[in-house]
Structure formats: C-alpha cells, structure tokens
Amino acid sequence: MDGALAVMMVVIVAHSGAVPTGSPSQEDLSKAQAYLSQFFSDVGVSAPNTVRRSALDSFDDTLRKMQEYFGLEVTGQLDSNTMEVMARPRCGFTDVTRYSHFDGEPKWEKPVVTYRITNYTPDLSQREVDATIAKALKIYSDVIPLDFNQIYRGTADIMILFKAQDHGDFAPFDGKGGILAHAFSPGEGRGGDAHFDEDEEWTLSSEGFNLFLVAAHEFGHALGLAHSNVETALMYPSYTYVDTDGYVLPDDDRRGVQAVYGESSTEFLHEAL
Ligand SMILES: [Zn+2]
Ligand SMILES: [Zn+2]
C-alpha cells in the first residue's frame, strides 16, 4: 500500500504544470496502466509520465502497441477513443501471446476432451447452461477432429465454473462489467479451464451477456487459440452481441483452430459434396 502511494505521488509531481486541460485524470492514467499491464505486457507497465524502470515496459510504447492492435490512431496518448476501448466489457486473457512458435502452440493431444461444470450460475437453469456449453463446444467439434464429453465427477480436462471476485487462481474477477470471463490454454492442472464472472448477468439473449458467445470465445482459449484483432472474429478480446441462431465459427477462428488441429473429416465431406 505504501509503495503504491509513493508511485502516485511521484506521478503527480512529474505532472504538475505540464497538463493541458482536458487531459486524462490521474484515475484514468492508473486504470490505463493496469489495463496495459494486464493485457499487453508480460512484465508489467511503468506508471505514466515516469522515467522507465528497466524491469517494466514503458507506458507510452505499450499504449502505442494497444492502439495499433485495436486499429486506433497510434498517438501514444490516452485520448478519449483509447479510453472508450479500454472500458469495453472483455475477456481476461492477455492480448499478447506468451508462447512463441518455437515452444509450439499448446493443444490437446487426444481425440476426446472431457469437460465438467462444477458451479452453475443461478441466472439460468442447469439444463440451459448444459445445453449452451455443449452448443459452444460443438462449433469447434464441427470443424476439427476433436470431440467433447461432459462428465459429472472427478477432474475433467476443461473445468468450468461461475464465481465472483477471488476464486482461487490469482486472477480475481472485478464485479459487474469489465472482465467477463477467462480461460487457460490446454495443459495439465488449470490448463483448459474456463471461469465465468458470476457478477455478470448471464443470458441466452441480447440482454446482459450472452453465455453462448462468451463461452464459445473462452473455449477458443481452452483449445489453444489466442486473441485476434479481426473485429468480426469470435476471438476478438471485447464482447459484442450477435445473433446466436445457427451460429457458425467465423472464418478467422476456423482457420486458426484448424491450423492447430486440422480439419474434421465430416467437414471435409461437406466441402467435397
Ligand atoms: Zn479471450
Ligand atoms: Zn479464474
């Protein structure tokens, strides 16, 4: 707590006299620093308007990276368009990939992946949640040679839960809005798990947040996909409602997941016919 306070005071001193009216508030700058640290840096981002500390990424450079990613004007300034994008409800997964192609993309090395829902949301009936989760996984099993099997006890590859705030993985949720959900890349332990923020209102419609759309996005991570900056992609980091009736995986995501797992033979048949 003392450390954080000290940093704030340094920033205020560095700022005084040099701030044109209409520039972002100290609160906006702190929020932006947290956003950039969470989504655009592996090591954290230095406070705005401070001399760069060697261990951290610089605020201005990381802000430019974020603006480029979202197709904003690359100003290196925390302008209103940038703040608007940062305020959008979104996934908690990083926007920079942590693994390189040399490490190989994480993937499931078996034909059947199990999943289990350990905590249901009270916003929907259990039957609705089960059906929605199955539908969200099916858009992948329709295009890649992988099947999903729900189990009701023991440890599944993909453990699914709805919890608010701190839920035991050092990535606490943040209340209503902001971060909606997050998931882990394929692997042992937490690998493949998908967590949904219970402080959100989960629906099957355009109200609140549509569980199918958010779950389908999170399962992309659970299968090894990173975020895409293609705005129409399912793996775009922020939430946009689209009609879920007859939903098929958008091209960008289909190409991404098929690059990892190959094409399913049934889809191959459809194309041949
Ligand atoms: Zn995501
Ligand atoms: Zn979590």
Side-chain angles (χ1 to χ4, degrees):
M1 212 52 207
D2 285 340
L5 188 63
V7 170
M8 293 282 282
M9 287 171 69
V10 170
V11 173
I12 290 159
V13 171
H15 239 109
S16 55
V19 189
T21 43
S23 68
S25 68
Q26 199 51 55
E27 195 195 340
D28 290 335
L29 287 166
S30 299
K31 274 193 200 158
Q33 184 194 3
Y35 184 98
L36 295 173
S37 292
Q38 182 165 11
F39 301 118
F40 285 90
S41 170
D42 287 340
V43 293
V45 170
S46 62
N49 306 305
T50 52
V51 177
R52 181 177 177 175
R53 288 171 59 187
S54 58
L56 300 175
D57 287 334
S58 107
F59 181 88
D60 293 5
D61 291 349
T62 313
L63 185 62
R64 284 191 194 94
K65 223 196 302 182
M66 178 267 172
Q67 289 171 326
E68 194 183 342
Y69 186 92
F70 283 102
L72 295 161
E73 194 188 342
V74 181
T75 59
Q77 301 292 314
L78 191 57
D79 48 50
S80 55
N81 289 342
T82 306
M83 286 195 279
E84 186 273 313
V85 170
M86 286 182 176
R88 288 180 192 166
R90 59 162 292 154
C91 169
F93 200 85
T94 178
D95 293 336
V96 287
T97 3
R98 283 174 212 277
Y99 43 83
S100 71
H101 284 278
F102 294 106
D103 304 330
E105 283 123 0
K107 62 177 280 194
W108 299 105
E109 304 279 1
K110 48 185 171 187
V112 179
V113 171
T114 58
Y115 68 97
R116 179 181 164 198
I117 305 166
T118 56
N119 265 82
Y120 284 79
T121 172
D123 302 351
L124 298 163
S125 72
Q126 286 203 13
R127 182 194 287 219
E128 285 171 324
V129 173
D130 281 343
T132 303
I133 294 297
K135 185 180 157 192
L137 288 165
K138 188 173 180 296
I139 63 168
Y140 294 100
S141 58
D142 278 349
V143 300
I144 56 171
L146 205 62
D147 279 315
F148 300 100
N149 189 20
Q150 185 172 10
I151 64 170
Y152 301 90
R153 56 186 63 83
T155 306
D157 298 315
I158 299 175
M159 298 287 270
I160 298 163
L161 57 78
F162 293 80
K163 287 250 173 110
Q165 302 292 340
D166 185 25
H167 53 281
D169 61 6
F170 306 103
F173 285 130
D174 53 357
K176 228 170 165 47
I179 299 195
L180 309 178
H182 56 219
F184 298 83
S185 301
E188 295 297 307
R190 283 199 188 98
D193 293 358
H195 301 162
F196 298 86
D197 186 350
E198 188 43 65
D199 280 333
E200 313 303 345
E201 184 201 352
W202 296 107
T203 73
L204 302 179
S205 67
S206 60
E207 305 296 309
F209 294 103
N210 185 284
L211 178 59
F212 168 76
L213 292 172
V214 177
H217 173 106
E218 296 309 324
F219 295 147
H221 294 311
L223 294 176
L225 296 185
H227 279 154
S228 166
N229 64 356
V230 175
E231 224 166 320
T232 53
L234 177 59
M235 295 314 290
Y236 193 69
S238 63
Y239 175 88
T240 312
Y241 175 77
V242 294
D243 191 355
T244 61
D245 218 28
Y247 187 94
V248 290
L249 198 58
D251 283 348
D252 184 63
D253 310 284
R254 183 179 49 77
R255 278 193 294 269
V257 79
Q258 287 181 337
V260 182
Y261 294 95
E263 292 178 24
S264 70
S265 51
T266 49
E267 204 207 26
F268 198 69
L269 272 177
H270 284 310
E271 280 178 4
L273 286 170

